[in-house]
Amino acid sequence: IPVALLFVIVGFELGPLAFVIALLLLNLALKRIALQPMRWADITVTYVIGSVAAFWTIERIATFV
C-alpha cells in the first residue's frame, strides 16, 4: 500500500508540473518567433486563472463547513 500511495501522490504532482512545463515551452516558442500575445489576452488569462482558483478555494472551504 505505501508504494501505491507514493505513485498516486507522484502522479498528482507530475501532471500539473508537466502542464506548467508545456506552457512555459509554448511561451518560449512564441517569443522566439516574435509573436507577442495581445494585452487583453494576458488580462483575460489572469482573471480566468484567478476565478478558477477562487472557485476551488470556496468549494473546498464549503465542504468543511
Side-chain angles (χ1 to χ4, degrees), residues 16-35:
L17 187 61
F19 180 72
V20 168
I21 289 172
L23 289 180
L24 289 174
L25 290 174
L26 178 64
N27 187 23
L28 180 65
L30 288 175
K31 283 184 180 179
R32 287 192 183 246
I33 60 173
L35 286 178

Side-chain angles (χ1 to χ4, degrees), residues 9 36 40 43 46-47 55 59:
I9 292 171
Q36 296 296 326
W40 64 267
I43 294 172
T46 302
Y47 276 106
F55 173 76
E59 182 181 41

Side-chain angles (χ1 to χ4, degrees), residues 32-59:
R32 287 192 183 246
I33 60 173
L35 286 178
Q36 296 296 326
M38 292 180 268
R39 180 75 180 133
W40 64 267
D42 290 339
I43 294 172
T44 303
V45 169
T46 302
Y47 276 106
V48 168
I49 291 171
S51 298
V52 170
F55 173 76
W56 283 343
T57 301
I58 293 168
E59 182 181 41

